[in-house]
Amino acid sequence: MTVQVISFVAAAPARVFDLKLDVDVHAASQHAAGETAATRDGRRQLTLGDEVTFQARHFGIRWRMTSRITAYQRPDEPADAVGSPRTSGRFVDEQVRGPFAMMRHEHLFEADGAGTRMTDRMSFAAPFGPLGAVVARLVLAPHLRRLLTRRAAHLDALVRAGG
C-alpha cells in the first residue's frame, strides 16, 4: 500500500532537504506522540547509509522502528558533467527493524517558485497477512497520511519562523 502527500515549504530545496534529515526536527514534528530519535554515533544530521531509531506512542502503544537511508541525492550537488546544480533532490529511508512487514519512504524535493514542492511517498505493508492488509487500508493509511501532513506543516512553520 502507498500513501502520498504533496506539500509546499517556503524555502529552497537544499534547505528543506537538510531539515528533513535532521533527527531533532523530525522528532519535534511528532512531539504529541512523544517521539524520540537516536543514531548510533549521536550525529543529528543523517546521510547515506545512516540508521536512526525512532520511538513514539501511536494508538496508545509505544512503537520502535529503525530505518536506514538507502538513497541520497542532495538538491545542490552537480547533476551532470557541466556541474550545473540540481534544483531537485531525493532521499529514501527503509525500515530495517520495526512494526511493519515492509516500509519504504521516498522524499522528493523540487524547486517551485519561492520554495519547494515536497513529495512524501510511503509504501508499506502490515504484518499478519489478510487481516493486516485490512488494518493497513482502514487504519494505518489514514494515520500515516495525517502524520506526513503534520510533519510537512511543522517543517513549513519552522522555516517561516526563521528556523
Side-chain angles (χ1 to χ4, degrees):
M1 173 161 289
T2 300
V3 172
Q4 180 168 294
V5 172
I6 299 172
S7 52
F8 181 82
V9 179
R15 175 79 174 122
V16 179
F17 183 91
D18 290 344
L19 286 170
K20 283 279 278 196
L21 285 164
D22 182 314
V23 296
D24 295 324
V25 170
H26 192 286
S29 73
Q30 293 299 306
H31 177 74
E35 184 167 299
T36 61
T39 59
R40 250 184 267 167
D41 61 5
R43 204 157 30 92
R44 309 315 287 163
Q45 189 70 32
L46 301 173
T47 190
L48 184 63
D50 283 346
E51 288 187 6
V52 60
T53 299
F54 299 101
Q55 292 187 61
R57 185 171 298 281
H58 297 280
F59 308 112
I61 300 168
R62 189 84 173 148
W63 299 95
R64 181 183 178 114
M65 181 177 81
T66 301
S67 289
R68 178 180 299 129
I69 306 299
T70 58
Y72 182 97
Q73 278 185 309
R74 196 163 191 284
D76 63 353
E77 293 174 351
D80 54 35
V82 177
S84 301
R86 269 196 302 267
T87 58
S88 63
R90 72 185 276 273
F91 72 88
V92 176
D93 65 274
E94 298 183 56
Q95 174 189 282
V96 293
R97 285 179 300 285
F100 295 100
M102 177 280 297
M103 190 284 298
R104 181 180 190 274
H105 185 178
E106 183 176 24
H107 309 255
L108 304 166
F109 307 87
E110 296 178 75
D112 184 0
T116 300
R117 179 178 188 250
M118 185 172 68
T119 303
D120 285 287
R121 188 174 301 130
M122 183 180 285
S123 300
F124 68 96
F128 308 120
L131 176 60
V134 170
V135 170
R137 190 180 78 245
L138 297 177
V139 178
L140 292 177
H143 179 72
L144 291 171
R145 189 172 287 109
R146 284 188 303 273
L147 185 144
L148 294 172
T149 300
R150 193 169 31 248
R151 284 200 170 122
H154 174 81
L155 200 61
D156 189 52
L158 180 67
V159 165
R160 290 178 187 275

